[in-house]
C-alpha cells in the first residue's frame, strides 16, 4: 500500500513538474531522463551483470546520427528512423559484443574504451556525417499530429520512454533469464552448471544496453535538432558509468537517482567552481573523480541502498497453485549410469586426479571419501565441465560427457552442489533455488520483457518453493540467501540441484556445518530421493553419516583410487584405516 502510494506520488510530481518549473529546470529534467535511459542499460550491464563498458556514449551517438542522417539526407520520417537506428545499433553492438565480451577482467573496459574512441572519430571524420561541425536541421518529432517543438512537450515523451524502459527491464530481471543474469557477475560457472548459456546472456544484456543508449540518442537528436560528435566521446561514457556506479546494482530506479545526482551536481559545480577558482575550466571533472573514489570506498553498492531503505519492500506471495512441471523419466534401476575410465587431471606439477576409474548404477548412492586434497572436488569439477580432463573418459548413460560444456552436461541430467557454497547472496532463497529449474523452462528474454512468461514462471517458482519445503526452508523463501546460516545455505544448494529434477545428484560435503538434527533431516531426504530413483554421488567427511547412507564407497588418496567396496569392507580395510579412517578418528 505504502509503496504504491509512494510510486503514485512520484508519478504525480513527475507529471506536474513541467507545469510549475521554470524553463531551465525542465531542460535539466529532460537531460536527466535522457541520461537515465542510458544508465538503466548500464545498471543492468555493469551493476547487475558485472560487465564494464566505457563505450556507452558511442551507442547514444549511433542512435543520434542514424536519425540525423536518415531525416536530413534521405527525408525519412523520424518515427521510421527509430527502428532503423535500433537496427544499426543492433548490428554494431552484436559485432562489438562478440569481439569484446570474450575479454576478461580489466581488458574488457579497455576494449570498450578502444571502440568507444574509434566510433567517436568516425563521427568526427566522415564527410557525410558533417565532420566536427555536425548535422543541423533535424526535424522535430510529432506525436498524433502534435509537434513536440518545445522542451515542455518533449519532457513527457522522454519520461514516458524512461518509465517504459524501467518497466521492461524490471520484467526482464523478474524471469527465468533474469535470475541467470543476476548470477553472471560472480556465479557464471554455477549458472553454466544449471544449463545457462552465459556467453549468450552477456551478449544479450550488452545489446540491450546499447539499444537503450540508441533510443536516448534518437530522443536527443530530435530534442536539440542538431548533432555533433562532442557529446558522444569518452568523457560522456565515463559520466554514464559514474551514474551507474551511483545507481548501483540493487534497484533499477537507482539509474534515475544516479543520472539525477550526477546531472545536478555537474550543473551546480560548473556554476560554482569557476567562481571559487576565479578562472574558467572543467574543474568539475576533478571533483567528480574524487567523489567517486570516496563513494567506492564508502559504499560499494552505490547510494541507492540508502534510499531503498526508506521504502517498504512489497509483501511477497507465492503464486497460486499451478500444475507442477513434468518430471524426467528416471532410468530403470540398476542400469549403468556413470563410468569414469582412467580420468586424470594435473594442475602444473600437482597430479590432483590420477587415472581414476569407477562405475555407478542407477538408483545407487555412492560415497566418495578420502582425506583433504585427495581430489574429490576435482572429480566433481571434471564431471560437470568446470574443468577439462587431461586424459580418460567420462560417460553418462553411455554418452561421453567429458568433452561437453557444463550447460550441456546439465541437460543430460547431472546436478550438483558445491563444497564452497555458490549462491547469489543478494537474491532471494526462492530465486536461487529456481535457477536449478532453468532448463525446465523455455520462455526467452523477449516474452519475459513483455510479461508473456507468467504461466511458466509460476510453475518454476512453485517447483522451487516445493523443493525448498522438502529441505525444510519453506519459511524462508523470500529472505536474501546470503543472510541465512551456512548450513541452511547448503540446503538451498540441494534444493536448487533438486529443481533440475536430476538423474544423478552430486553432493560435495553437504553435511559440513549442519547441526545434528539438520543432518538427520538431510539423511531422511537422501533416502526418500533414492526411493524416487535418483542416484547420488556423495562426498562427505562425517563417517557415521556416510556409512549409514551409502550402498558403496570409493576411497581416494593423492588422486588415486585406494579402495572400493561396501561400507563394511571399507571400514575393515587396513589400507583405508591407515590412510584415512584412522586419521579421522
Ligand atoms: P578434495 O576435494 O579431495 O579435498 P580437491 O579436489 O579440492 O581435493 O583438490 C585436490 C588437489 O588439487 C589439492 O591439492 C588442491 O590444492 C589442488 N587443486 C584443486 N583445484 C585446483 C585448481 N583449480 N588449481 C590448482 N590446484 C587445484
Ligand atoms: Mg573438496
Amino acid at each position: 500500500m505504502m509503496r504504491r502510494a509512494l510510486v503514485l506520488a512520484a508519478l504525480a510530481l513527475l507529471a506536474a513538474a513541467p507545469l510549475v518549473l521554470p524553463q531551465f529546470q525542465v531542460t535539466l529534467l529532460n537531460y536527466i531522463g535522457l541520461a537515465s535511459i542510458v544508465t538503466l542499460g548500464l545498471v543492468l550491464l555493469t551493476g547487475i551483470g558485472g560487465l564494464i563498458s566505457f563505450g556507452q556514449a558511442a551507442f547514444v551517438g549511433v542512435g543520434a546520427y542514424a536519425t540525423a542522417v536518415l531525416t536530413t539526407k534521405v527525408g525519412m520520417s523520424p518515427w521510421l528512423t527509430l527502428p532503423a537506428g535500433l537496427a544499426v545499433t543492433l548490428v554494431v553492438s552484436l559485432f562489438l559484443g562478440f569481439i569484446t565480451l570474450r575479454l576478461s577482467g580489466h581488458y574488457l573496459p579497455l576494449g570498450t574504451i578502444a571502440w568507444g574512441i574509434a566510433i567517436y572519430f568516425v563521427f568526427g571524420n566522415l564527410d557525410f556525417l558533417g565532420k566536427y561541425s555536425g548535422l543541423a536541421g533535424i526535424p522535430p518529432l510529432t506525436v498524433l499530429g502534435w509537434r513536440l517543438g518545445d522542451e515542455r512537450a518533449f519532457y513527457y515523451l522522454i519520461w514516458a520512454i524512461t518509465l517504459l524502459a524501467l518497466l521492461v527491464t524490471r520484467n526482464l530481471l523478474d524471469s527465468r533469464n533474469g535470475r541467470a543474469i543476476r548470477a553472471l557477475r560472480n556465479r557464471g560457472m554455477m549458472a553454466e552448471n544449471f544449463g545457462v548459456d552465459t556467453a549468450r546472456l552477456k551478449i544479450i544484456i550488452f545489446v540491450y544496453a546499447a539499444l537503450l543508449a540508441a533510443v536516448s540518442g534518437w530522443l536527443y537528436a530530435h530534442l536539440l535538432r542538431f548533432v555533433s560528435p562532442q557529446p558522444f566521446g569518452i568523457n560522456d561514457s565515463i559520466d554514464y558509468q559514474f551514474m551507474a556506479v551511483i545507481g548501483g546494482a540493487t534497484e533499477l530506479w537507482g539509474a534515475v537517482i544516479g543520472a539525477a545526482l550526477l546531472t545536478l551536481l555537474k550543473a551546480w559545480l560548473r556554476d560554482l567552481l569557476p567562481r571559487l577558482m576565479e578562472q574558467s575550466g572543467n574543474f568539475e571533472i576533478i571533483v567528480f573523480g574524487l567523489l567517486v573514489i570516496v563513494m567506492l570506498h564508502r559504499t560499494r553498492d552505490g547510494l541507492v541502498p540508502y534510499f531503498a531503505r526508506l521504502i517498504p519492500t512489497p509483501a511477497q506471495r507465492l503464486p497460486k497453485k499451478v500444475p507442477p512441471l513434468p518430471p524426467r523419466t528416471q532410468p530403470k534401476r540398476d542400469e549403468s549410469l556413470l563410468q569414469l575410465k582412467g580420468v586424470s587431471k594435473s594442475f602444473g606439477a600437482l597430479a590432483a586426479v590420477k587415472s581414476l576409474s569407477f562405475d555407478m548404477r542407477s538408483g545407487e548412492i555412492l560415497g566418495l571419501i578420502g582425506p583433504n586434497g585427495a581430489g574429490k572436488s576435482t572429480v566433481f569439477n571434471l564431471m560437470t565441465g568446470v574443468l577439462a580432463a587431461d586424459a580418460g573418459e567420462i560417460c553418462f548413460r553411455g554418452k561421453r560427457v567429458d568433452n561437453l560444456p557444463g550447460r550441456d552436461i546439465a541437460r543430460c541430467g547431472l546436478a550438483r552442489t558445491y563444497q564452497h557454497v555458490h549462491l547469489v547472496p543478494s537474491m532471494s532463497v526462492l530465486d536461487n533455488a529456481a535457477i536449478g529449474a532453468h532448463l525446465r523452462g523455455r520462455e526467452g528474454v523477449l516474452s519475459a520483457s513483455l510479461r508473456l512468461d507468467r504461466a511458466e514462471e509460476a510453475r518454476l517458482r512453485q517447483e522451487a518453493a516445493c523443493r525448498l519445503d522438502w529441505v525444510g526452508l519453506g519459511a524462508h523463501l523470500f529472505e536474501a540467501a546470503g543472510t541465512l546460516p551456512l548450513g541452511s545455505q547448503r540446503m538451498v544448494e540441494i534444493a536448487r540441484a533438486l529443481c533440475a529434477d536430476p538423474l544423478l545428484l552430486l553432493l560435495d560435503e553437504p553435511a559440513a556445518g549442519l547441526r545434528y538434527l539438520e543432518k538427520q533431516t538431510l539423511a531422511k531426504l537422501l533416502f526418500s530421493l533414492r526411493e524416487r530413483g535418483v542416484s547420488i554421488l556423495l562426498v562427505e567427511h562425517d563417517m557415521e553419516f556416510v556409512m549409514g547412507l551409502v550402498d558403496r564407497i570409493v576411497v581416494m588418496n593423492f588422486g588415486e583410487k585406494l579402495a572400493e567396496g561396501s561400507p563394511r569392507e571399507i571400514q575393515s580395510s587396513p589400507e583405508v584405516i591407515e590412510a584415512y579412517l584412522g586419521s579421522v578418528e
Side-chain angles (χ1 to χ4, degrees):
M1 260 342 264
M2 173 82 175
R3 193 180 171 94
R4 183 168 299 171
L6 278 172
V7 171
L8 284 177
L11 288 179
L13 276 181
L14 213 54
L19 306 177
V20 294
L21 293 180
Q23 174 83 27
F24 81 95
Q25 291 188 358
V26 177
T27 305
L28 217 49
L29 282 175
N30 279 344
Y31 281 116
I32 291 174
L34 290 176
S36 298
I37 299 172
V38 185
T39 307
L40 182 62
L42 275 184
V43 165
L44 184 72
L45 187 70
T46 307
I48 297 170
L51 302 169
I52 295 175
S53 164
F54 283 115
Q56 230 52 21
F59 290 128
V60 181
V62 172
Y65 270 96
T67 193
V69 169
L70 291 173
T71 50
T72 60
K73 312 250 156 162
V74 187
M76 213 188 235
S77 134
W79 287 101
L80 290 180
T81 62
L82 178 59
L86 290 178
V88 174
T89 311
L90 179 76
V91 173
V92 174
S93 62
L94 270 177
F95 172 71
L96 293 175
F98 274 114
I99 57 173
T100 31
L101 292 183
R102 289 180 197 188
L103 305 175
S104 56
H106 48 282
Y107 293 109
L108 173 64
L110 285 179
T112 62
I113 288 174
W115 55 249
I117 292 176
I119 292 178
Y120 174 81
F121 282 112
V122 169
F123 294 149
N125 285 292
L126 287 185
D127 266 334
F128 84 107
L129 296 181
K131 295 199 161 175
Y132 286 99
S133 45
L135 291 170
I138 301 170
L141 287 176
T142 48
V143 178
L144 304 170
W146 185 37
R147 190 168 176 274
L148 301 185
D150 74 356
E151 301 257 330
R152 282 175 214 275
F154 221 91
Y155 170 93
Y156 288 103
L157 180 66
I158 290 179
W159 281 94
I161 289 181
T162 307
L163 293 177
L164 186 70
L166 272 169
L167 199 69
V168 168
T169 313
R170 196 234 20 208
N171 292 349
L172 173 61
L173 278 180
D174 180 25
S175 74
R176 163 178 176 266
N177 281 304
R179 283 186 286 273
I181 289 171
R182 283 181 278 170
L184 284 179
R185 193 190 179 99
N186 292 315
R187 296 289 180 238
M189 191 261 295
M190 176 279 290
E192 286 272 334
N193 279 159
F194 286 99
V196 176
D197 187 344
T198 54
R200 181 167 167 274
L201 270 188
K202 284 180 184 174
I203 296 268
I204 286 177
I205 58 174
F206 183 76
V207 168
Y208 182 79
L211 291 177
L212 282 182
V215 169
S216 177
W218 175 79
L219 284 166
Y220 174 88
H222 291 285
L223 175 67
L224 258 72
R225 308 192 33 206
F226 165 75
V227 293
S228 71
Q230 184 260 329
F232 310 127
I234 187 80
N235 279 350
D236 300 84
S237 285
I238 292 174
D239 281 357
Y240 290 128
Q241 192 65 59
F242 279 179
M243 293 176 192
V245 168
I246 296 173
T250 50
E251 306 279 345
L252 288 177
W253 46 265
V256 179
I257 304 268
L261 284 180
L262 210 91
T263 309
L264 295 175
L265 194 66
K266 205 166 162 180
W268 181 64
L269 287 177
R270 213 175 255 163
D271 213 36
L272 177 77
L273 290 177
R275 266 189 284 151
L276 281 182
M277 318 279 270
E278 292 179 338
Q279 56 183 355
S280 62
N282 294 341
F283 303 116
E284 76 274 7
I285 294 179
I286 302 167
V287 176
F288 262 15
L290 293 175
L291 279 178
V292 167
I293 291 169
V294 170
M295 227 193 69
L296 284 175
H297 272 285
R298 294 255 144 186
T299 153
R300 273 293 159 95
D301 287 333
L303 292 178
V304 172
Y306 293 98
F307 291 91
R309 236 170 269 160
L310 306 175
I311 298 178
T313 45
Q316 300 233 39
R317 266 170 297 129
L318 262 189
K320 57 179 187 303
K321 203 105 184 76
V322 287
L325 294 169
R328 224 188 267 269
T329 36
Q330 294 285 341
K332 281 204 275 310
R333 203 157 275 228
D334 249 11
E335 200 174 277
S336 162
L337 188 69
L338 175 77
Q339 289 169 304
L340 271 75
K341 292 179 222 159
V343 174
S344 300
K345 177 72 191 176
S346 300
F347 300 107
L350 176 90
V353 176
K354 280 184 250 171
S355 193
L356 181 72
S357 305
F358 67 84
D359 290 3
M360 262 186 92
R361 308 193 74 75
S362 63
E364 194 175 27
I365 301 192
L366 180 70
L368 182 61
I369 67 172
N372 275 328
K376 307 176 298 291
S377 297
T378 304
V379 171
F380 273 26
N381 288 338
L382 293 169
M383 288 175 63
T384 53
V386 173
L387 295 171
D390 299 333
E393 274 183 29
I394 302 174
C395 295
F396 187 68
R397 302 187 80 188
K399 178 181 166 182
R400 244 185 111 162
V401 294
D402 53 280
N403 43 13
L404 294 180
R407 57 177 182 278
D408 291 339
I409 300 177
R411 238 172 245 286
C412 300
L414 261 82
R416 68 173 292 181
T417 67
Y418 301 84
Q419 182 177 352
H420 304 288
V421 170
H422 278 42
L423 296 174
V424 183
S426 61
M427 203 158 77
S428 73
V429 168
L430 184 76
D431 277 328
N432 267 287
I435 286 185
H438 187 81
L439 284 176
R440 301 175 77 187
R442 292 276 160 279
E443 299 284 1
V445 287
L446 223 61
S447 62
S449 305
L450 301 172
R451 239 22 195 179
L452 300 174
D453 65 336
R454 290 298 95 184
E456 179 187 280
E457 177 66 8
R459 295 176 83 187
L460 296 177
R461 288 170 76 85
Q462 177 176 280
E463 172 79 17
C466 174
R467 302 298 158 230
L468 285 163
D469 212 35
W470 268 18
V471 302
L473 288 171
H476 302 277
L477 301 184
F478 301 111
E479 288 166 30
T483 61
L484 296 184
L486 192 62
S488 305
Q489 294 194 23
R490 289 188 177 286
M491 296 306 252
V492 177
E493 288 226 327
I494 295 173
R496 180 177 64 197
L498 291 175
C499 280
D501 189 23
L503 305 180
L504 174 58
L505 184 59
L506 308 177
L507 300 176
D508 201 344
E509 305 198 14
L514 295 195
R515 287 184 292 255
Y516 182 71
L517 280 178
E518 289 174 318
K519 275 189 194 175
Q520 299 281 303
T521 315
L522 179 62
K524 251 188 239 142
L525 175 74
L526 298 186
F527 271 116
S528 77
L529 286 175
R530 177 165 55 181
E531 293 306 308
R532 283 161 209 259
V534 179
S535 319
I536 301 169
L537 179 57
L538 174 72
V539 167
E540 186 48 61
H541 282 300
D542 183 330
M543 279 308 125
E544 209 184 310
F545 186 85
V546 172
M547 296 299 175
L549 193 67
V550 301
D551 302 305
R552 222 153 46 86
I553 293 179
V554 169
V555 187
M556 283 181 78
N557 198 19
F558 294 114
E560 286 175 311
K561 184 162 82 179
L562 185 68
E564 181 174 1
S566 69
R568 187 182 295 266
E569 286 162 359
I570 294 300
Q571 271 168 313
S572 55
S573 151
E575 294 137 292
V576 177
I577 292 173
E578 188 186 337
Y580 181 49
L581 294 180
S583 68
V584 166
E585 275 157 27

